[in-house]
């Protein structure tokens, strides 16, 4: 890998009695960054190897012999069976897909999809509603979800709520696809076997027949693959993926979620150029983004993203704009996964209560895209925009708040990085070199760290620990040849805890909730201003004074404001 380097300006601190020393003098990759050390599992050649350490030997997973229904599920199914008897309907009701899989694995699932073999979902829901009325009960939340092929909703779905659980009803179907679309060109009522083989994976092809209270495995391998922990397609994988390329991403998600092994033929098919081209051309970006978000929010995000790397679809999933600068080096995707891996392990080492689920999700995104944080492209009117923004908005079609937060975290992590040497020192040190908020020249040197940290936390609010973690990923760690990755990770954990404790000791943990002593009206009154940007500028200076004097009063702040303004007038 060929990389060029640039040196970051030294951060100089002042020790007692005027002694100085350089705390940091390290280099950054222009598009990657320093200390992005590749995990050994990620040091693979450019050509994918499908016998990587992620393809662990198959193990046996505990699978129940039958479905154990909860009390609510029993009541729901009793009402549905009573509807069949009431109208003498010769229809089989089958719960399909994920619910069956999860119940057999002993996991709870509240997503019940029922497939009917001889009638449409809307017809049956009308019958259920009519039956409920006949016994004095009222149907709740009945609605019809129209088919929306662009969002992978190929069939009209009827929905209703029974005993506070939403139930979806569709008919069994058989589908055929065209070459350039994942929208079926033809649909018809199908048999249970046809429907099972139409599914994405064998473990998702199982049915629970409500009529007979039995599990049905029409592919003859759904249960065995569930027991052996194997991700396999019911039909040949290449044909399955070309019919619906989103199944590649879903196979990865389920493989990671359940820690199952991807079938070798499946991996070869997923990585072939024809399937990758179909994935890029046929699948809506919203659907890809939803799958990726489920992986990042799931229990094995690193494994999922590593599979995406191994199958060489990283830059298809996280597609980049046509032109950007500087160029991204070969293997950059591996650096992305390495940062994700370190952040994931660090989060667990710090403890689950350190971050909320939403903070954890955005932490992982911010960490994974750290190597791209200095890469930009030009929008209309030649505006420079980070490519991370493009990935979120165009490649994944995520909500606008996600790229805004991640980019804010990237910017804030650089600020935190400049403060870390002072926040971790046991000596009375003061930072004297930084490249942000340089206008706060009136702040006493002894208070500058508290002021700068306070402003940063007021900007980040509850996400300040997330920005701190990202900055810890960028901070150089002293290591020697005898230390393993666990030791290095522990050092980063200790550094995080030290900075966190320093922030708390400074009394800044909830500084964003601190009310400013004076307001805009006070500033305009004292300085005889009629508004404008000067008011905001002086309010920021007043907040800096307040952070430097945590015991100060509003009157003392106003006195300082008058004095500071008087000095400014004299200088002018």
């Amino acid at each position: 890998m060929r990389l060029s380097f640039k040196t970051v300006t030294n951060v100089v601190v002042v020790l007692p009695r005027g002694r100085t020393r350089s705390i940091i003098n390290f280099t950054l990759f222009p598009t990657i960054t320093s200390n992005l050390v590749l995990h050994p599992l990620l040091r693979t050649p450019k050509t994918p190897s499908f016998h990587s350490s992620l393809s662990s030997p198959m193990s046996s997973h505990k699978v129940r012999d039958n479905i154990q229904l909860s009390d609510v599920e029993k009541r729901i199914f009793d009402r549905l069976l009573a509807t069949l008897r009431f109208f003498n309907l010769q229809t089989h009701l089958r719960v399909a897909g994920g619910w069956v899989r999860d119940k057999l694995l002993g996991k709870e699932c509240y997503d019940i999809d029922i497939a009917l073999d001889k009638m449409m979902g809307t017809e049956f829901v009308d019958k259920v509603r009519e039956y409920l009325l006949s016994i004095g009960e009222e149907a709740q939340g009945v609605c019809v979800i129209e088919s929306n092929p662009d969002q992978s909703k190929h069939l009209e779905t009827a929905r209703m709520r029974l005993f506070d659980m939403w139930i979806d009803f569709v008919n069994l179907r058989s589908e055929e696809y065209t070459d350039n679309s994942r929208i079926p060109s033809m649909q018809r009522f199908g048999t249970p076997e046809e429907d099972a083989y139409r599914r994405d994976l064998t473990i998702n092809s199982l049915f629970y027949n409500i009529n007979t209270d039995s599990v049905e495995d029409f592919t003859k391998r759904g249960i065995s693959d569930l027991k052996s922990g194997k991700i396999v397609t019911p039909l040949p994988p290449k044909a399955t993926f070309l019919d619906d390329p989103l199944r590649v991403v879903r196979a990865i998600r389920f493989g990671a979620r359940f820690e199952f092994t991807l079938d070798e033929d499946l991996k070869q098919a997923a990585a072939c150029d024809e399937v990758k081209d179909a994935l890029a051309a046929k699948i809506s970006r919203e659907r890809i983004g939803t799958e990726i978000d489920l992986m990042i929010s799931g229990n094995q995000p690193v494994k999922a993203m590593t599979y995406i790397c191994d199958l060489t679809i990283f830059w298809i999933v996280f597609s980049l704009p046509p032109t950007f600068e500087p160029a991204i080096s070969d293997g950059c995707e591996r650096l992305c996964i390495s940062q994700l891996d370190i952040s994931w392990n660090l989060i667990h080492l710090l403890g689950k209560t350190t971050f909320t689920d939403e903070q954890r999700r955005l932490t992982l995104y911010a960490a994974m895209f750290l190597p791209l944080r200095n890469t930009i492209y030009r929008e209309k009117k030649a505006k420079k925009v980070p490519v991370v923004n493009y990935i979120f908005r165009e490649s994944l079609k995520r909500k606008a708040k996600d790229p805004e937060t991640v980019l804010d975290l990237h910017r804030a992590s650089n600020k935190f990085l400049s403060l870390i040497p002072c926040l971790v020192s046991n000596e009375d040190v003061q930072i004297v070199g930084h490249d942000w908020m340089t206008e706060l020249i009136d702040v006493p040197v002894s208070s500058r760290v508290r002021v700068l940290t306070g402003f940063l936390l007021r900007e980040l609010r509850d996400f300040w620990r997330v920005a701190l973690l990202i900055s810890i990923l960028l901070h150089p760690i002293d290591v020697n040849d005898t230390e393993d990755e666990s030791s290095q990770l522990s050092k980063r954990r200790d550094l995080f805890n030290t900075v966190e404790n320093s922030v708390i000791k400074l009394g800044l943990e909830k500084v964003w909730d601190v009310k400013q002593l004076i307001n805009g009206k006070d500033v305009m009154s004292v300085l005889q201003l009629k508004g404008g940007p000067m008011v905001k500028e002086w309010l920021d200076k007043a907040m800096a004074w307040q952070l430097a004097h945590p015991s100060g009063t509003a009157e003392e702040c106003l006195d300082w404001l008058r004095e500071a303004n008087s000095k400014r007038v004299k200088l002018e």
Side-chain angles (χ1 to χ4, degrees), residues 12-15 422 428-434 440-452 548-549:
V12 181
V13 297
V14 177
L15 300 172
C422 303
D428 184 19
V429 300
Q430 302 95 35
I431 189 169
V432 297
H434 59 87
L440 299 177
I441 55 176
D442 294 335
V443 175
V445 173
S446 60
S447 301
R448 195 158 294 177
V449 173
R450 188 179 197 276
V451 172
L452 291 172
H549 304 82

Side-chain angles (χ1 to χ4, degrees), residues 524-535:
M524 288 189 288
S525 175
V526 170
L527 304 184
Q528 299 297 304
L529 297 174
K530 295 182 179 180
M534 287 290 290
V535 176

Side-chain angles (χ1 to χ4, degrees), residues 305-401:
M305 295 303 112
T306 304
Y307 274 143
I308 285 175
C309 257
D310 284 350
L311 299 180
T312 65
I313 61 172
F314 189 90
W315 298 119
I316 294 175
V317 171
F318 304 108
S319 62
L320 298 171
T323 58
F324 50 85
E325 57 184 35
I328 292 176
S329 305
D330 288 343
C332 180
E333 67 271 27
R334 294 287 173 183
L335 289 169
C336 292
I337 307 307
S338 181
Q339 286 299 89
L340 177 67
D341 181 48
I342 296 171
S343 63
W344 172 252
N345 289 320
L346 190 53
I347 287 171
H348 282 265
L349 204 58
L350 290 168
K352 293 182 179 180
T353 59
T354 306
F355 303 102
T356 65
D357 289 344
E358 178 68 356
Q359 288 171 348
R360 188 194 74 165
R361 182 181 74 89
L362 291 168
T363 299
L364 296 176
Y365 273 127
M368 183 166 67
F369 293 138
L370 262 181
L372 300 173
R373 77 188 196 284
N374 294 325
T375 306
I376 57 98
Y377 73 104
R378 295 182 183 274
E379 274 190 335
K380 296 176 181 177
K381 300 180 180 179
K383 179 183 178 182
K384 293 182 179 180
V385 181
V387 295
V388 173
N389 183 74
Y390 182 93
I391 290 172
F392 274 106
R393 291 179 179 270
E394 303 300 330
S395 303
L396 304 178
K397 295 292 185 183
R398 305 315 296 160
K399 55 188 178 183
K401 190 66 176 176

